[in-house]
Amino acid sequence: QVQLVESGGGLVQAGGSLRLSCAASGRTFVAMGWFRQAPGKEREFVAVVWSSTGWTRYADSVKGRFTISRDNAKNSVYLQMNSLKPEDTAVYYCAAGDRYTDYSTSGGYDYWGQGTQVTVTS
């Protein structure tokens, strides 16, 4: 049974940092990424990393502040979030799949975690 389990969310002041973790079990994946969904908004792409190449892609809104990384031995992906802003407040979801295309859309992934709340106060 495939599972993605996120951890690391919480409450932080603007300018602070958080590190999210996602541990996958049941199989390995070509691509692992992060999405987020704020109240009243659609789920949006944050970042993705591919296992074989280490390539990464980021949403423009988080470039230079967030860093995605992956530990293939642990079948895990991480999201280091620095210089957090109130607009980063959302539920963050780990996503996993086997595609190199459609990485910025929800349809590009086959498995999802349950989500972890990140709240940034001003």
Side-chain angles (χ1 to χ4, degrees), residues 1-5 23-29 75 96 110-112:
Q1 181 181 359
V2 175
Q3 275 193 315
L4 302 178
V5 179
S25 60
R27 56 160 290 187
T28 58
F29 299 95
N75 206 13
D110 301 306
Y111 298 93
W112 294 84

Side-chain angles (χ1 to χ4, degrees), residues 13-76:
Q13 287 189 328
S17 299
L18 282 174
R19 185 177 188 247
L20 305 183
S21 300
C22 172
S25 60
R27 56 160 290 187
T28 58
F29 299 95
V30 171
M32 294 187 74
W34 292 93
F35 282 69
R36 66 187 181 185
Q37 188 166 18
K41 295 188 176 182
E42 292 187 354
R43 191 171 297 189
E44 65 174 5
F45 168 75
V46 175
V48 62
V49 59
W50 286 276
S51 61
S52 60
T53 62
W55 292 343
T56 58
R57 293 292 184 272
Y58 296 91
D60 288 342
S61 59
V62 306
K63 279 181 182 177
R65 300 188 299 123
F66 291 9
T67 302
I68 190 170
S69 61
R70 185 165 178 171
D71 186 333
N72 290 333
K74 295 182 178 179
N75 206 13
S76 295

Side-chain angles (χ1 to χ4, degrees), residues 6 20 33-39 41-47 59-63 65-66 79 81-95 104 106 112 115-118 120:
E6 302 107 331
L20 305 183
W34 292 93
F35 282 69
R36 66 187 181 185
Q37 188 166 18
K41 295 188 176 182
E42 292 187 354
R43 191 171 297 189
E44 65 174 5
F45 168 75
V46 175
D60 288 342
S61 59
V62 306
K63 279 181 182 177
R65 300 188 299 123
F66 291 9
L79 187 68
M81 305 185 294
N82 298 329
S83 301
L84 282 162
K85 304 175 181 180
E87 50 264 44
D88 293 318
T89 295
V91 176
Y92 283 70
Y93 296 90
C94 177
S104 64
S106 298
W112 294 84
T116 185
Q117 177 69 47
V118 171
V120 184

Side-chain angles (χ1 to χ4, degrees), residues 31 35 45 48 50 99-109:
F35 282 69
F45 168 75
V48 62
W50 286 276
R99 300 176 180 85
Y100 283 91
T101 58
D102 300 327
Y103 62 84
S104 64
T105 65
S106 298
Y109 300 84

